[in-house]
Amino acid sequence: MATTYAPDRTVEFTEDEARPKRWMTPALIALPALVILLAGFQRRWMSDDALIYVRTVRQILAGNGPVFNPGERAEASTGTLWQWLLAGAGVFGADLTQAAVYGGLLLTAAGFALAALGCLRLYGSSSALPLGAPVLLALPPVWDFATSGLETGLATCWLAGGWLLLITRPASVWTSVVFGLGPLVRPDLGLVSAVFLGAQWLLVRPRRRHALAGLGAALALPGAYEIFRAGYYGHLVPLPAVTKEASQSLWGRGLGYLQDFAGPYLLWVPVLFVLAAVLPVRDRGRVPLVPVLAPVLAGALCWAYVIKVGGDFMHGRMLLPGLFLMLLPLFLVPANRATALASVGVAVWAAVCASVLRIDYEGRVGPGGIADERGVYVAQNADPHPLHHTFAGAAWQARYGKAARTAEPPALLLPGPVRLAGGTPTVTGFYPVLGHNGSSIPLDGAALDPIGLAYPLAAHSERVAGGRVGHDKKLPEAWVIADRGAGELPAKVDPSAVEAARRALRCGALAELREATSAPLTTRRFLANLTGAFQRTAFRYPTDPAQAVRELCPQG
């Protein structure tokens, strides 16, 4: 006899009931992974945001530390664990771009395989049908972000692997360790860590001493890194979370982001089929509810958070982890009449979706500021698989790249590009496309952006009303000239604004921000960064230099 657990009881099955047929198991596990592997490879590409990781890793390998620019401690990488995995690949001489693209693809495929294995272990059925898997495999954004060079593949693998451990090893302390990695995979996945740890407690019901030990194991790595982050960078979160105001609420914009994802693909259709398969089920005693409900709850919370903060500028991207979670317990389902009919309905929808349904702004930025990010870079590089960006199809991007690569230090490059004398003996580029900027500016130079993904001065500025989601910080050029420039000003820049910005940079919290990120990292500086991290992370200032002087400088 084989046994499976339930929160309050053990249910027994015969050996034949508890296990899938041996010949079916490898096929059921491998098929979803193979499909996403092929679909992702056909759509392989490198996003500009992934190039942000690449520059940071290059700085690590060059001995400059986990920074985007030498001399300024800014955490530009949102996915901490992904950054260090790429650094590990770089130590062995891997091409960082290829490691990001193909490593992400392999991790995505592994995540799909682990999801299928988790369902087989959970239900112990002698036969299974794909129900949730085709929903994911039919969606073009899933194909796109199977690569992209971002941390999405790692997140997919971690989500599925964590869920499998919840099913198979709930009492293990190493399961707690894996659950605790969520904030290091991506900060918002801390929500998933919390849900999975709660589910683990419900399944095991450990004594207080063991519960505290498991919690300590889960918090050890993210807690240690948080102390390092606060002391080294002077912030509680990565800089992109500051610039994108991850603590604010933009529900209306977030609902628009959800509609932009769900509407074009008619996602309500497979939802109806899934509900038709799940709701009539009466004999639920065979399946432990905690591992079924935990990923659904975690996915719903992920969606609620994404909607709350206003969504993202990449079509579908930020909703994919939540969708994957909610479909995890339905990835494969036990075969019966209801699930068979639902699987056929989902399969028909999937065929239509994969072949016909598309967004109406393919290859460009949509009217709401949400982009078909892969399509944009395919067009701008005139390449169906843009891994190393040449911008053969975007002359303005190519011009800036050439200017940045050929500039003689000291120089400050503004969009256009406009060249000014630099205030430091290096090349500084101030350009909104940060990955491209970081790829073009030498490692010993400074690649800055007005949005603030890697520039603390811009990240802490106030939002611009009506700006594009994820890009609604726009630091005026007067500030970067005051910070990094010298010599004659461009005609379009007001000298009085530059002078006011220079004055504001010497005042109050703005001066302290510069000290926290640029002063030599002594023990005293580390402790000052650590104790002031909360206030510093919350600090914002107006982008109008004159107003900033009035607010920050004691004499007004």
Side-chain angles (χ1 to χ4, degrees):
M1 302 288 284
T3 61
T4 185
Y5 60 84
D8 301 311
R9 61 192 178 276
T10 298
V11 180
E12 295 187 350
F13 302 104
T14 66
E15 196 73 23
D16 183 63
E17 290 175 319
R19 295 179 182 173
K21 301 295 185 183
R22 289 186 177 182
W23 65 269
M24 289 179 59
T25 301
L28 289 169
I29 294 171
L31 187 58
L34 180 60
V35 172
I36 193 58
L37 197 64
L38 293 174
F41 182 78
Q42 289 296 321
R43 307 269 284 199
R44 63 194 182 277
W45 68 297
M46 185 75 165
S47 72
D48 185 80
D49 278 25
L51 293 173
I52 298 173
Y53 282 106
V54 169
R55 180 175 172 94
T56 300
V57 171
R58 289 171 62 210
Q59 296 286 12
I60 293 170
L61 297 176
N64 297 323
V67 298
F68 200 74
N69 300 306
E72 186 166 56
R73 294 182 297 276
E75 187 180 13
S77 299
T78 304
T80 302
L81 188 55
W82 185 232
Q83 167 189 285
W84 290 104
L85 286 175
L86 290 178
V91 167
F92 292 99
D95 178 283
L96 294 176
T97 297
Q98 293 193 14
V101 169
Y102 295 116
L105 179 58
L106 290 174
L107 285 167
T108 300
F112 275 63
L114 291 172
L117 178 58
C119 287
L120 294 175
R121 295 298 300 269
L122 177 65
Y123 298 119
S125 175
S126 59
S127 58
L129 293 171
L131 186 62
V135 177
L136 292 163
L137 293 171
L139 293 169
V142 174
W143 311 339
D144 288 352
F145 292 104
T147 58
S148 83
L150 294 167
E151 73 288 336
T152 310
L154 176 61
T156 301
C157 189
W158 176 77
L159 293 171
W163 184 59
L164 179 61
L165 288 174
L166 184 66
I167 296 167
T168 59
R169 298 287 186 272
S172 172
V173 69
W174 291 108
T175 298
S176 301
V177 172
V178 172
F179 289 171
L181 295 177
L184 299 179
V185 176
R186 188 178 173 88
D188 49 298
L189 294 182
L191 291 169
V192 182
S193 292
V195 173
F196 278 13
L197 286 168
Q200 183 186 27
W201 183 86
L202 287 173
L203 286 171
V204 178
R205 300 295 176 94
R207 295 181 179 180
R208 180 177 298 180
R209 180 168 61 88
H210 293 122
L212 291 175
L215 183 61
L219 295 179
L221 285 175
Y225 195 85
E226 187 61 28
I227 293 171
F228 166 77
R229 171 184 284 144
Y232 186 79
Y233 298 108
H235 289 76
L236 295 177
V237 293
L239 204 60
V242 176
T243 197
K244 295 182 180 182
E245 302 291 3
S247 63
Q248 294 188 9
S249 298
L250 295 169
W251 291 99
R253 180 182 281 185
L255 289 171
Y257 184 66
L258 176 61
Q259 171 60 27
D260 177 81
F261 175 57
Y265 308 115
L266 305 178
L267 272 180
W268 58 270
V269 174
V271 167
L272 291 178
F273 283 118
V274 168
L275 292 176
V278 172
L279 293 181
V281 177
R282 297 177 181 177
D283 183 16
R284 295 183 175 89
R286 296 166 63 98
V287 179
L289 289 180
V290 171
V292 172
L293 296 180
V296 176
L297 175 59
L301 289 175
C302 286
W303 270 27
Y305 175 77
V306 171
I307 294 169
K308 174 188 178 296
V309 300
D312 187 50
F313 68 96
M314 297 188 197
H315 168 67
R317 176 201 170 198
M318 290 300 293
L319 294 170
L320 295 182
L323 180 64
F324 184 75
L325 279 163
M326 287 186 280
L327 291 174
L328 266 180
L330 301 170
F331 205 81
L332 301 175
V333 293
N336 56 49
R337 180 176 297 179
T339 57
L341 291 174
S343 294
V344 171
V346 168
V348 172
W349 167 86
V352 174
C353 181
S355 58
V356 176
L357 300 181
R358 295 293 183 272
I359 53 176
D360 58 8
Y361 54 88
E362 280 191 288
R364 52 193 175 86
V365 179
I370 302 170
D372 172 18
E373 193 75 355
R374 178 185 176 276
V376 166
Y377 284 97
V378 166
Q380 290 193 4
N381 288 278
D383 183 350
H385 305 297
L387 269 62
H388 297 89
H389 293 186
T390 63
F391 290 106
W396 73 96
Q397 299 272 43
R399 280 196 300 270
Y400 178 82
K402 181 178 180 180
R405 288 188 294 271
T406 59
E408 293 291 334
L412 170 61
L413 277 69
L414 303 177
V418 176
R419 295 175 187 243
L420 302 177
T424 56
T426 58
V427 176
T428 298
F430 187 63
Y431 195 68
V433 186
L434 182 59
H436 177 37
N437 196 18
S439 298
S440 304
I441 295 291
L443 278 187
D444 63 351
L448 309 176
D449 64 312
I451 300 169
L453 298 174
Y455 190 19
L457 186 60
H460 286 269
S461 64
E462 293 179 347
R463 264 178 161 158
V464 176
R468 182 187 176 199
V469 61
H471 293 72
D472 46 9
K473 299 283 181 79
K474 189 176 182 181
L475 190 71
E477 293 174 354
W479 285 98
V480 72
I481 293 172
D483 185 30
R484 308 286 177 118
E488 186 176 351
L489 299 178
K492 62 179 179 178
V493 176
D494 181 0
S496 64
V498 175
E499 185 55 38
R502 286 191 176 124
R503 185 177 177 187
L505 288 171
R506 298 191 294 268
C507 293
L510 203 50
E512 202 279 332
L513 173 66
R514 299 178 82 201
E515 282 288 307
T517 56
S518 301
L521 191 65
T522 61
T523 301
R524 178 175 294 181
R525 183 70 257 169
F526 185 93
L527 292 175
N529 280 3
L530 184 64
T531 56
F534 180 81
Q535 294 86 349
R536 193 177 302 111
T537 302
F539 165 66
R540 302 292 183 272
Y541 71 95
T543 56
D544 175 32
Q547 185 180 350
V549 168
R550 289 193 294 270
E551 292 187 10
L552 296 170
C553 298
Q555 303 303 319

